[in-house]
Amino acid sequence: MFALLMTMTPGPDTLLVLRNCVRGGRRSGAATALGAALGSLAWAAAAAVGLAAALQRWDAAFTVVRLAGAAYLVVLGGQALWAHRRSAAVPGAGAEPAAEEAADRAPLGPVRAFRQGLLSCLLNPKVGIFFVAVVPQFLPEGHSVLGGTLLLGALDAVIAAGWLLLVVVCAGRLLERLRRPRVHRTLERTTGGVLVALGVGTAAETVAG
């Protein structure tokens, strides 16, 4: 239940899945969701062998990973804002999708979407810290820490994939409306701004800390 609540909390992964679903369709949205889930599973494996805890104690490495993740979010958000700016600059874009805007969306296939979802999660060390700080409290007494952490990590990855795929299904039913030029530009601007804000906030928090 706790893992479900944490997964349902809106974050970069959810925004990325929604945006990629609109840009590339359900397959790209689902690929993004599976990439994020695999990233979560990788963090669980790292926590199980102590790498996440070691990373947290090693300030320099932890800072590098957090700043890399923040930069990645800013890049993704900047791309969305740039696409919005280009489409807004095209005369008559409010009526029909501009050719340049359509070209920007076309290259986003499932492979690229999967990579974005995976990197978004892998470059977020807070996921690893979650497993290090929270998972041990749910491990059965007397059982293997490695096996228990991997099992709970796998369950968390399944829950994350299930929730994000549900987001894809819901977005898929609204694709026709979401792809209307005005709605699409608003979505690009909003998700882009939020991703940039999350990246800048993470970077500022890292530097201040």
Side-chain angles (χ1 to χ4, degrees):
M1 180 61 71
F2 182 74
L4 179 60
L5 292 176
M6 292 295 295
T7 300
M8 292 176 62
T9 303
D13 292 340
T14 304
L15 290 174
L16 196 58
V17 166
L18 180 60
R19 177 173 179 259
N20 286 353
C21 188
V22 174
R23 292 185 64 199
R26 293 182 181 180
R27 291 183 61 188
S28 293
T32 308
L34 293 177
L38 181 61
S40 177
L41 184 59
W43 272 117
V49 298
L51 293 179
L55 179 64
Q56 186 179 8
R57 291 193 297 268
W58 190 11
D59 292 340
F62 183 73
T63 299
V64 169
V65 174
R66 290 201 67 180
L67 290 178
Y72 186 63
L73 290 178
V74 171
V75 169
L76 291 177
Q79 290 175 345
L81 292 175
W82 178 249
H84 161 72
R85 182 179 179 181
R86 288 182 61 185
S87 64
V90 177
E96 295 292 338
E100 293 184 10
E101 183 182 358
D104 286 339
R105 294 197 302 267
L108 183 65
V111 174
R112 183 181 172 192
F114 177 86
R115 184 169 62 246
Q116 287 185 355
L118 178 64
L119 288 176
S120 175
C121 189
L122 288 180
L123 292 176
N124 184 6
K126 290 183 178 180
V127 179
I129 294 175
F130 165 79
F131 284 108
V132 172
V134 176
V135 168
Q137 302 178 36
F138 297 93
L139 293 177
E141 187 175 352
H143 285 68
S144 169
V145 174
L146 176 62
T149 303
L150 288 176
L151 176 59
L152 292 178
L155 290 175
D156 180 75
V158 170
I159 291 173
W163 168 252
L164 293 175
L165 288 174
L166 180 60
V167 173
V168 172
V169 171
C170 293
R173 294 181 177 179
L174 299 173
L175 275 181
E176 185 177 348
R177 293 184 179 180
L178 292 175
R179 282 176 170 170
R180 291 176 180 174
R182 183 174 299 177
V183 176
H184 177 72
R185 290 196 300 272
T186 300
L187 181 63
E188 286 283 294
R189 180 177 56 191
T190 302
T191 56
V194 172
L195 287 172
V196 169
L198 287 172
V200 171
T202 299
E205 182 182 348
T206 301
V207 173

